Amino acid sequence: MAEHRQETGAAGEEGSAAGEPLPTRIGQAVILHRGGDREEARNRLARLWEEAAEDGDPFHRCAIAHYLAGAQDDPAAGLEWGRRALAAARAPAGDRAAVRALLPSLHLSLAAAHAGLGDHTAARHELARARGAVRELPDDAYGVGVRAAIGDLARWLADAAGPPAQSP
């Protein structure tokens, strides 16, 4: 969607405000995605992923991969980016509290990707992990939203394939 695109920045990156901090540029890409411009969001997030590889900040890499997972049209690609997000979350460095806050959403994203691929057993496994991790979230808007999304996917899985399997 052309109306969402900005002029080429000083560094030659379309849509990037030259010199903006990485979290700001991640947020700009997310806004594009939520506004319906999935392709441009994916393009920007992919460039940010490459940039964050140099930076090495696990939280930034985790967030970028998580948003890339959600911006994919193909569930298999979404699953791969979800796995990258989880791998970044497991890195020993960075803001561990911020990464822990993302864990329920990361596992929920993996569960949704597995469900989209028809692997309900793997979806239930990740959903159980999301439920375990969500206990640490406060009852703020984010926590309530993640809990609601977990419940929605659990109901969908129950309707799609009968009663949930026992989690390991």
Side-chain angles (χ1 to χ4, degrees), residues 27-89:
Q28 290 167 343
V30 171
I31 289 169
L32 284 172
H33 178 227
R34 290 182 180 161
D37 196 347
R38 295 169 69 88
E39 182 178 357
E40 181 62 17
R42 275 192 307 266
N43 291 339
R44 289 188 192 194
L45 288 165
R47 287 191 300 263
L48 294 174
W49 175 259
E50 293 302 319
E51 181 180 326
E54 297 168 13
D55 174 51
D57 184 305
F59 177 75
H60 291 154
R61 290 179 55 79
C62 179
I64 293 166
H66 181 54
Y67 289 124
L68 266 165
Q72 300 303 310
D73 294 326
D74 174 28
L79 180 60
E80 180 57 35
W81 280 108
R83 288 176 174 155
R84 289 178 185 169
L86 193 57

Side-chain angles (χ1 to χ4, degrees), residues 104-105 108 127 130-132 134 145-155:
S105 188
L108 177 61
L127 196 58
R131 282 186 177 127
V134 80
V146 171
R147 286 179 183 90
I150 289 170
D152 291 345
L153 183 57
R155 282 186 292 283

Side-chain angles (χ1 to χ4, degrees), residues 79-140:
L79 180 60
E80 180 57 35
W81 280 108
R83 288 176 174 155
R84 289 178 185 169
L86 193 57
R90 291 180 174 149
D95 183 348
R96 302 307 307 153
V99 171
R100 273 194 314 278
L102 283 178
L103 286 175
S105 188
L106 296 177
H107 287 294
L108 177 61
S109 177
L110 287 170
H114 283 297
L117 291 168
D119 187 349
H120 295 174
T121 300
R124 286 186 183 98
H125 179 75
E126 289 297 339
L127 196 58
R129 289 181 171 183
R131 282 186 177 127
V134 80
R135 293 182 189 127
E136 294 189 32
L137 291 183
D139 287 329
D140 59 6

